[in-house]
């Protein structure tokens, strides 16, 4: 087992080093594809073995693994401090120096370095490994042809791909280490590795805006790192152990320990870009599309929600639990509202991501079996659909030179495959019987006992429907019978098709995924499986019967639309002011002249103005976080 776990962590490290030092594009392509294939097989092998008890990791070259992690901790902080100096950012310098001082005191004068099993794996860890290894690998493979086109567009004389793929692939190993860690110090180390990787990837293009946003991401996540160290010290002061399994098994153990977990949750808030920390993730959209897809689906932000979910048993039934639920629900509502006024595809996906992460964190705060089930199912299905949509936006941007929704209008006419895959991705985010909507239904059912939470979740869900349905509708159009077929590189088409298929097929199999992977997490599972549906006291979510109805409806729609090219398409009716038939596409306007039709979406910019709402939401979020931590103390 230990060899399999180390393979999941160390193989991406080795592959990243090959990508960096061997400057051959052919070798890089082979390395990334092989790494993805092996990680996929290894994660499936881990799924086959199932949950396992914490295990120790031996020494490397005669040096203890815990000592190596300690050395790398300080080396990593040194690297981050160097970038703080390079960019003359006092916040990075201050937060990193504070971490180093506190960590040194903690490591050398406080901790009794008894052997703690370094790695462990329960159902949550295994699900996370599957998400990281499979979805993350598909994104890395997609990046191979994407980055070639990206650099051609930038007219670079010297390729930066070796460094780019070094951090992209390294991210996967760091995340696998994070979700498998059982020692709090190991968890902290991998938590900080993701901070450095995201900084380097966001600033990859080295433009002024990329550098500015990468620095902002670094100082915000360095604040999270400092909160993590403080929380770790407080938890250890009460429990006397760094063994995560032992800490969770004991449950809440008084104000000091709960306050420590509260600071760890604050670290998770920064990593998951919860309001008021959302600006670093919104700024990350300046990075190449594979970076955005990786950050939003299977690495950086999922590290934040994972940490909060992991420590949820340690604050169950406390005021902190209620505070986490309200903060998460508020982020869900705030970012759903901010997304309504956006027309930039990447920014819409960014706000949608932060909102759904807030929903997951809200579920961790509600802290019931039903809520935890909703959170885990949301992590899985959101990762698939959101990575698919980010890759679709990147593909569209390369095709039309824009990521604006208005420029995507009627995309199906020229790029039918990309448009249909994008629509599939959007539909799996918002409609039954797909997995994301199922998880939202579970979350709303779980939050029914808290009036503030249920109102925010209901309103946020409604607002999210507005901009997702608006986007899907904008893409559709008629396609000419003699239109040229759409061309895509094989390594672009493969991840898109695989993720689209996974979003549909895994949603169809969601009852069995729940039964085999999520239900074993609980002594009393919240759902029972019957006839392809999930049944509970709170209600039922019908999956397979709805898929049958959906399939029959799709067949009927395809048959009804099969003869559309034989029909005459009438122009829009504008109260009798249409021009004659030979001038289709215009209407009679001022001065009796023909005016071309123009369609456009409403973005309600005055009501959902980002510049006006963001300061208000940030202030309210800060107040909620202060109340949450104050109540824990």
């Amino acid at each position: 087992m230990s060899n399999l776990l180390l393979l999941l962590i160390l193989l991406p490290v080795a592959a990243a080093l090959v990508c960096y030092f061997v400057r051959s594009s052919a070798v890089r392509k082979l390395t990334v594809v092989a790494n993805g294939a092996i990680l996929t097989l290894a994660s499936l092998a881990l799924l086959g073995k199932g949950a396992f008890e914490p295990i120790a990791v031996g020494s490397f070259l005669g040096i203890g693994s815990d000592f190596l992690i300690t050395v790398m901790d300080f080396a990593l902080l040194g690297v981050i401090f160097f970038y703080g100096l390079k960019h003359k950012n006092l916040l990075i310098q201050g937060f990193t120096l504070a971490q180093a001082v506190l960590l040194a005191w903690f490591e050398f004068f406080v901790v009794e370095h008894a052997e703690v099993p370094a790695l462990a794996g329960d159902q949550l860890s295994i699900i996370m490994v599957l998400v990281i290894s499979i979805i993350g690998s598909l994104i890395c493979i997609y990046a191979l042809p994407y980055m070639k086109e990206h650099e051609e567009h930038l007219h670079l004389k010297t390729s930066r791909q070796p460094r780019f793929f070094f951090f992209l692939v390294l991210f996967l190993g760091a995340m696998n280490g994070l979700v498998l860690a059982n020692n709090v110090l190991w968890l902290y180390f991998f938590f900080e590795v993701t901070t450095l990787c995201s900084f380097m990837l966001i600033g990859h293009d080295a433009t002024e805006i990329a550098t500015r946003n990468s620095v902002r991401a670094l100082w915000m996540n360095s604040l999270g790192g400092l909160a993590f160290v403080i929380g770790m010290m407080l938890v250890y002061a009460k429990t006397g152990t760094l063994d995560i399994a032992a800490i969770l098994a004991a449950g809440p153990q008084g104000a000091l320990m709960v306050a420590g977990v509260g600071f760890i949750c604050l670290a998770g808030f920064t990593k998951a870009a919860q309001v008021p920390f959302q600006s670093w993730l919104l700024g990350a959209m300046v990075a190449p599309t594979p970076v955005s897809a990786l950050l939003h689906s299977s690495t950086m932000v999922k590290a934040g929600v994972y940490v909060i979910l992991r420590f949820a048993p340690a604050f169950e039934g406390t005021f902190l639990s209620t505070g986490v639920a309200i903060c998460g629900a508020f982020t869900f509502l705030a970012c759903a509202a901010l997304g309504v006024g956006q027309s930039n595809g990447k920014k819409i996906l960014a706000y949608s991501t932060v909102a759904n992460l807030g929903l997951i964190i809200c579920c961790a705060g509600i802290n019931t079996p039903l809520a935890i089930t909703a959170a885990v199912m949301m992590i899985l299905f959101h990762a698939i659909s959101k990575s698919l949509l980010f890759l679709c936006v990147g593909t569209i941007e390369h095709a039309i030179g824009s990521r604006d929704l208005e420029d995507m209008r009627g995309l199906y006419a020229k790029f039918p495959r990309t448009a249909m895959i994008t629509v599939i991705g959007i539909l799996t985010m918002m409609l039954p019987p797909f997995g994301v909507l199922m998880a939202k239904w579970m979350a709303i059912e779980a939050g029914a006992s808290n009036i503030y939470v249920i109102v925010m979740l209901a309103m946020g869900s409604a607002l999210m429907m507005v901009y997702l349905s608006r986007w899907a509708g904008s893409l559709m159009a008629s396609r000419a019978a003699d239109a040229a077929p759409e061309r895509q590189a094989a390594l672009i088409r493969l991840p898109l098709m695989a993720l689209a298929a996974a979003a549909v097929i895994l949603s169809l199999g969601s009852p069995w995924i729940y039964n085999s992977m999520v239900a074993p997490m609980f002594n009393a599972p919240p759902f029972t499986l019957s006839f392809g549906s999930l049944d509970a006291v709170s209600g039922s979510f019908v999956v397979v019967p709805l898929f049958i109805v959906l399939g029959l409806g799709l067949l009927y729609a395809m048959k009804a639309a099969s003869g559309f090219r034989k029909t005459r398409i009438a122009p829009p009716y504008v109260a009798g002011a249409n021009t004659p038939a030979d001038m289709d596409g215009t209407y009679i306007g001022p001065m009796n002249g023909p005016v071309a039709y123009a369609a456009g979406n409403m973005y309600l910019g005055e009501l959902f103005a980002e510049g006006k709402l963001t300061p208000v939401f940030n202030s309210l979020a800060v107040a909620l976080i202060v109340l949450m931590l104050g109540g824990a103390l």
Side-chain angles (χ1 to χ4, degrees), residues 28 66 126 148 525 543:
R28 181 165 55 247
D66 288 347
I126 293 172
K148 182 176 182 295
V543 178

Side-chain angles (χ1 to χ4, degrees), residues 64-253:
S65 56
D66 288 347
F67 178 74
L68 280 176
I69 290 292
T70 298
V71 171
M72 289 190 291
D73 263 333
F74 287 104
L76 182 61
L77 290 174
V79 172
I80 294 174
F81 185 77
F82 164 76
Y83 281 108
L85 291 175
K86 179 180 178 181
H87 294 288
K88 300 178 181 179
N89 189 288
L90 294 177
L91 290 174
I92 296 173
Q93 296 171 35
F95 292 145
T96 307
L97 189 60
Q99 285 184 70
V101 171
L102 290 174
L103 189 63
W105 180 68
F106 182 63
E107 287 263 30
F108 301 130
F109 299 104
V110 177
V111 174
E112 296 180 8
H113 287 281
E115 184 174 345
V116 174
L119 301 174
D122 59 4
Q123 295 300 124
L124 175 60
S125 297
I126 293 172
I127 290 171
M128 290 297 298
V129 168
L130 289 168
V131 169
I132 295 158
S133 300
I134 299 176
I135 297 177
S137 295
L138 285 172
I139 294 169
C140 291
I141 291 170
Y142 172 93
L144 289 166
Y146 181 94
M147 290 307 296
K148 182 176 182 295
E149 292 185 28
H150 182 75
E151 292 194 341
E152 289 174 355
H153 175 72
L154 295 178
H155 305 293
L156 295 182
K157 294 182 180 179
T158 303
S159 174
R160 299 196 196 107
Q161 289 189 55
R163 192 183 77 157
F164 178 85
F165 280 97
F166 172 80
F167 286 105
L168 198 72
V169 176
L170 180 64
F171 225 141
L172 304 185
M175 277 299 300
N176 278 336
L178 187 148
V179 301
L180 291 169
N182 183 62
N183 185 322
V184 180
L185 285 170
W186 283 55
L187 179 62
Y188 166 72
F189 168 70
F190 289 117
F191 193 82
E192 288 300 279
V193 173
T194 63
T195 294
L196 179 63
C197 287
S198 64
F199 163 72
M200 300 302 293
L201 289 169
I202 294 169
H204 172 74
D205 283 341
T207 60
E208 181 182 352
I209 189 172
T211 301
R212 183 170 67 251
N213 285 310
S214 67
V215 169
R216 177 169 51 192
L218 188 57
W219 80 253
M220 284 192 176
N221 284 286
S222 295
L223 170 62
L226 177 59
F228 196 110
V229 172
I230 294 171
M232 174 173 58
M233 294 170 66
L234 293 176
V235 170
Y236 183 83
K238 179 63 179 179
T239 64
T241 181
L242 295 170
D243 189 324
I244 295 175
I247 293 170
L248 300 182
Q253 299 178 47

Side-chain angles (χ1 to χ4, degrees), residues 526-572:
F527 292 99
T528 57
L529 176 61
S530 64
F531 302 107
S533 303
L534 293 175
D535 299 328
V537 176
S538 57
S540 299
F541 193 91
V542 180
V543 178
V544 174
L546 275 179
F547 262 105
I548 294 173
V549 173
L550 182 66
L552 292 174
L554 180 62
L555 290 175
Y556 177 79
M558 291 173 63
K559 181 179 180 181
S562 60
F564 79 95
R565 292 193 180 96
K566 301 176 183 178
T567 62
R568 179 179 178 275
I569 301 175

Side-chain angles (χ1 to χ4, degrees), residues 30 43 55 60 77 144 163 203 206 220 426 471 527 564 613:
L30 178 62
S43 64
I55 60 175
F60 295 94
L77 290 174
L144 289 166
R163 192 183 77 157
M220 284 192 176
I426 294 170
W471 188 357
F527 292 99
F564 79 95
L613 292 180

Side-chain angles (χ1 to χ4, degrees), residues 17 21 53 59 84 99 106 119 130 203 213 239 247 334-335 357 388 397 413 422 434 524 532 571 591 605-606 611 618:
L17 291 171
F21 288 107
E53 294 297 318
S59 60
Q99 285 184 70
F106 182 63
L119 301 174
L130 289 168
N213 285 310
T239 64
I247 293 170
C335 289
L357 294 173
L388 171 62
E397 186 176 9
T422 306
F434 297 108
M591 305 300 292
E606 288 297 319
N618 286 349

